[in-house]
Amino acid sequence: MKDKRDLKIQAIEEGTVIDHIKAGQALNVLRILGISSGCKGTVSFVMNAPGSGGRKDVVKIEGRELNVAELNRIALISPKATINIIRDFEVVQKNMVVLPSYVEGVVRCTNSNCISNSSEPIKSKFSVLQSEDGVVTLRCLYCEHVISENIAENLL
Amino acid sequence: MKDFSREEIDHVLDTAEKLESVARGEEKSRLLDGKIVALLFFEPSTRTRLSFEAATQRLGGRILNLGSVEASSVMKGENLADTIRVISNYADLIVLRHPLDGSAQMASEFSTVPIINGGDGSVHHPTQTFLDLYTIRRESHLEGLKIAMAGDLKYGRTVHSLCHALSLYGAEMTFVSPPELRMPQEIVRDLEKKKIRVKETDSFEDIIGDVEVLYMTRVQRERFPDPEEYEKVKNRLKITGDLLKGADPSLKILHPLPRVNEIAPEVDSTPHACYFQQAFYGVPTRMALLALAMGVIE
Ligand SMILES: [Zn+2]
């Protein structure tokens, strides 16, 4: 974290900082990570912070290093986000999120007639694709319905 | 249907052809001797069910018919996953028909025996597509076929999966429909990406002389809020003896049935009519799928 001015919130001792989140998506990032009100530990975020590439959101999760599989889900709603693992106030690891090829139990299928929206004991399953122009699309492995525009609105 | 490669489709169709004399009752088969096929139909579809029953019995197998599922006390309030786990203890294969999209995929995750999708929701009905392909292969040809599909192309799942399957063989496709019921544009784009020549029109007159197969589907009254509009469309998209005067002598007409009045009765006695053979071809096709799924044929 060389550019502390950019973050507008204090540096953390241990944990995870998710930077360059698409502006307005911070709450969805928390949701996709399953971080809710029942969560212990300090979670802070900035929305619409000015950054080098325009406005962005930043999320800091203290005392917790999230695993790669969890973090990569963020790419569904913010493919340019970066993950910074902090130990003793230092960034020990910095990575771009990587779009997973498959997600389970993260997004709801928008086809109301899909078996994954019924009371069956299954989780939604999608294969993830990205077009040349960067658009992320999800294809339901049950009904083959494709979601491309409103992934954030359909997070479980 | 998208899971099948051309080689796999050909293998199913080759197998169906080998079993055709058994399907006609000219030859006996004991391929499914000692096997039980469970027919689990959560919505009524008498034709599909009878066709599977005939296919099983022609191969010497037995049927466990669960009848109307709503009426069956075993299933009351039980989810499909549990029903499948129970039924897979009783049978060697389950044929599932269910109103929800993706239910066959889910069933295969819970079943210990093979599942054949007898139609789920509004998207998939793979055994229909196989029998359509088999009919085309037997009565015309698959490679580079000039085909017109007509009627309700927007909601008709049979035409959607047939388009995809035929694209594996190269084809020239003409879509004949009223503007309200046009083929979804993502399917058209998908076909064009695969170098399939696609033409769209709303009447038969200018295309009937230049197609080898005409695949007709029913236009449902419910699709039209205005009854007058429905009548107009219904009369414009009708195959009559007159229309067929301009057709190629080898033209074959297919229809998944039941028809309402989109094919005039006088067409039935022409060499173009193929829809009743098509219903028969459902039997050898389903025999092949049953035998392959149960591994009694490689
Ligand atoms: Zn779905």
Side-chain angles (χ1 to χ4, degrees):
Chain A
M1 282 196 294
K2 283 166 272 169
D3 195 356
K4 282 184 183 148
R5 284 164 306 152
D6 221 28
L7 292 178
K8 292 256 168 85
I9 27 180
Q10 286 201 323
I12 61 172
E13 188 179 349
E14 313 274 346
T16 308
V17 175
I18 306 158
D19 196 3
H20 301 286
I21 298 167
K22 200 164 135 192
Q25 293 294 329
L27 290 170
N28 284 328
V29 164
L30 294 176
R31 223 165 123 198
I32 218 168
L33 294 173
I35 294 168
S36 60
S37 52
C39 186
K40 286 182 196 138
T42 308
V43 175
S44 48
F45 61 89
V46 188
M47 291 177 87
N48 299 316
S52 48
R55 303 254 160 202
K56 62 172 186 178
D57 288 7
V58 184
V59 166
K60 295 183 174 191
I61 301 148
E62 287 183 50
R64 208 172 135 195
E65 289 179 19
L66 291 130
N67 74 50
V68 177
E70 284 176 294
L71 291 165
N72 281 341
R73 290 175 183 175
I74 295 167
L76 295 178
I77 51 169
S78 191
K80 293 200 176 97
T82 58
I83 307 296
N84 303 276
I85 303 292
I86 315 290
R87 283 179 205 148
D88 201 13
F89 296 102
E90 293 291 330
V91 177
V92 294
Q93 202 185 318
K94 184 175 182 120
N95 295 100
M96 293 275 288
V97 290
V98 179
L99 196 64
S101 58
Y102 170 82
V103 287
E104 192 176 298
V106 180
V107 180
R108 180 186 298 107
C109 182
T110 52
N111 168 11
S112 60
N113 200 45
C114 177
I115 189 90
S116 70
N117 287 318
S118 68
S119 55
E120 297 295 334
I122 49 169
K123 287 178 177 165
S124 72
K125 298 188 179 84
F126 292 91
S127 57
V128 183
L129 299 160
Q130 192 169 25
S131 67
E132 284 144 28
D133 49 356
V135 180
V136 175
T137 56
L138 302 180
R139 181 183 287 272
C140 175
L141 292 187
Y142 289 105
C143 74
E144 291 181 15
H145 190 76
V146 171
I147 309 176
S148 54
E149 269 153 19
N150 36 11
I151 294 173
E153 285 100 275
N154 289 292
L155 293 174
L156 281 168
Chain B
M1 227 26 232
K2 290 199 174 165
D3 303 338
F4 292 97
S5 68
R6 177 174 163 162
E7 288 67 32
E8 288 166 323
I9 294 172
D10 284 339
H11 184 51
V12 173
L13 304 185
D14 290 342
T15 308
E17 199 156 350
K18 285 185 198 132
L19 294 169
E20 208 183 291
S21 59
V22 179
R24 289 188 199 281
E26 295 160 2
E27 222 181 296
K28 281 212 162 113
S29 167
R30 299 181 64 80
L31 269 177
L32 295 189
D33 192 22
K35 301 282 190 195
I36 297 175
V37 172
L39 300 181
L40 193 50
F41 276 51
F42 286 82
E43 54 183 12
S45 176
T46 313
R47 285 156 202 279
T48 305
R49 205 185 66 219
L50 288 178
S51 173
F52 271 112
E53 284 193 28
T56 307
Q57 303 207 9
R58 290 286 195 201
L59 292 174
R62 288 174 180 262
I63 302 284
L64 200 59
N65 197 339
L66 290 115
S68 155
V69 175
E70 298 97 287
S72 165
S73 61
V74 190
M75 319 297 170
K76 270 205 182 114
E78 187 176 70
N79 62 37
L80 178 63
D82 284 4
T83 303
I84 293 291
R85 282 190 276 215
V86 171
I87 304 298
S88 59
N89 292 309
Y90 304 155
D92 301 295
L93 180 145
I94 298 170
V95 178
L96 176 71
R97 171 105 174 183
H98 195 279
L100 291 181
D101 297 323
S103 47
Q105 170 61 36
M106 188 204 78
S108 68
E109 292 170 13
F110 288 92
S111 180
T112 54
V113 298
I115 300 278
I116 287 183
N117 184 356
D120 63 345
S122 55
V123 187
H124 297 124
H125 194 7
T127 68
Q128 177 74 45
T129 306
F130 274 112
L131 86 86
D132 291 342
L133 292 169
Y134 187 64
T135 307
I136 293 170
R137 187 167 109 166
R138 290 284 281 107
E139 299 291 330
S140 188
H141 62 97
L142 283 171
E143 195 78 46
L145 180 74
K146 285 198 233 173
I147 184 170
M149 301 186 196
D152 181 351
L153 304 182
K154 185 173 179 188
Y155 300 98
R157 64 179 173 188
T158 58
V159 290
H160 299 166
S161 41
L162 188 58
C163 279
H164 170 74
L166 283 174
S167 73
L168 301 174
Y169 295 86
E172 278 178 44
M173 299 185 188
T174 306
F175 301 139
V176 189
S177 70
E180 303 89 324
L181 297 176
R182 275 174 72 184
M183 184 63 79
Q185 289 309 294
E186 69 261 25
I187 295 185
V188 173
R189 275 197 300 273
D190 206 43
L191 290 168
E192 283 170 344
K193 248 188 247 163
K194 292 185 209 153
K195 308 263 183 285
I196 299 298
R197 267 179 42 203
V198 175
K199 196 158 87 183
E200 293 186 87
T201 171
D202 63 353
S203 76
F204 289 122
E205 277 70 23
D206 48 339
I207 60 112
I208 194 74
D210 196 33
V211 289
E212 298 164 312
V213 166
L214 172 54
Y215 194 99
M216 193 67 199
T217 64
R218 191 158 42 113
V219 171
Q220 282 165 300
R221 189 182 292 274
E222 305 89 86
R223 307 280 183 227
F224 291 87
D226 178 3
E228 239 174 84
E229 191 55 33
Y230 170 70
E231 290 299 318
K232 258 199 277 175
V233 165
K234 200 181 71 180
N235 293 325
R236 195 160 27 137
L237 285 186
K238 188 170 177 173
I239 301 175
T240 60
D242 263 355
L243 176 76
L244 291 174
K245 282 178 190 151
D248 190 282
S250 67
L251 170 75
K252 300 293 176 189
I253 301 168
L254 276 67
H255 190 302
L257 302 178
R259 65 174 154 172
V260 188
N261 53 4
E262 56 275 19
I263 303 176
E266 76 252 22
V267 176
D268 298 357
S269 57
T270 70
H272 302 297
C274 221
Y275 24 94
F276 297 117
Q277 279 106 300
Q278 190 182 358
F280 162 71
Y281 290 137
V283 180
T285 308
R286 289 180 172 119
M287 286 165 69
L289 291 164
L290 288 165
L292 290 166
M294 273 189 268
V296 296
I297 292 183
E298 287 280 295

